Amino acid sequence: MSMFEAEAPTPCRIIAFPLTKRVAKIREVAARIMEKSSDRQAGAYRNQVAETLFRHLAKIGVAEEEQDEQVGAFFTAVELELARLAYFNDANDETAY
């Protein structure tokens, strides 16, 4: 490569506000999941939230692979919040679900 040739820039990915940093949304989803009276209702709600997140990410131009990572990480954070809420409720002698 001569000094007048430039290397192709490496593509950069920037997620301005990753889903895992949306703490209020994570807490809201976890709380609503806990309110559901059955696993089936909770699963349907999770699917609804996931579809909404995928649509949002696609709309702003996030690649499919990154969408999967973002939504997966979001639901991992929701599971951690559910565990925290269950522990908190158990510690206060309340019903976890």
Side-chain angles (χ1 to χ4, degrees), residues 65-93:
E65 183 178 301
E66 182 63 29
Q67 290 177 33
D68 290 341
E69 288 180 30
Q70 287 288 312
V71 173
F74 177 84
F75 279 106
T76 297
V78 169
E79 290 299 322
L80 290 172
E81 179 65 10
L82 284 167
R84 187 189 72 78
L85 290 172
Y87 177 80
F88 177 77
N89 288 340
D90 286 346
N92 289 317
D93 293 323

Side-chain angles (χ1 to χ4, degrees), residues 38-45:
S38 71
D39 288 343
R40 184 176 179 189
Q41 287 180 345
Y45 178 69

Side-chain angles (χ1 to χ4, degrees), residues 3 5 15 21 27 29-30 40 43 57 61-64 85 91 93 95 97:
M3 68 178 183
E5 293 179 55
I15 303 293
K21 301 299 182 189
R27 288 181 178 162
V29 170
R40 184 176 179 189
L57 293 173
V62 176
E64 273 189 45
L85 290 172
D93 293 323
T95 304
Y97 293 120

Side-chain angles (χ1 to χ4, degrees), residues 34-65:
M34 287 187 77
E35 291 171 356
K36 301 301 178 190
S37 60
S38 71
D39 288 343
R40 184 176 179 189
Q41 287 180 345
Y45 178 69
R46 287 174 198 247
N47 290 340
Q48 178 185 9
V49 171
E51 285 299 316
T52 301
L53 293 173
F54 279 119
R55 274 195 311 272
H56 169 71
L57 293 173
K59 184 178 179 181
I60 63 172
V62 176
E64 273 189 45
E65 183 178 301

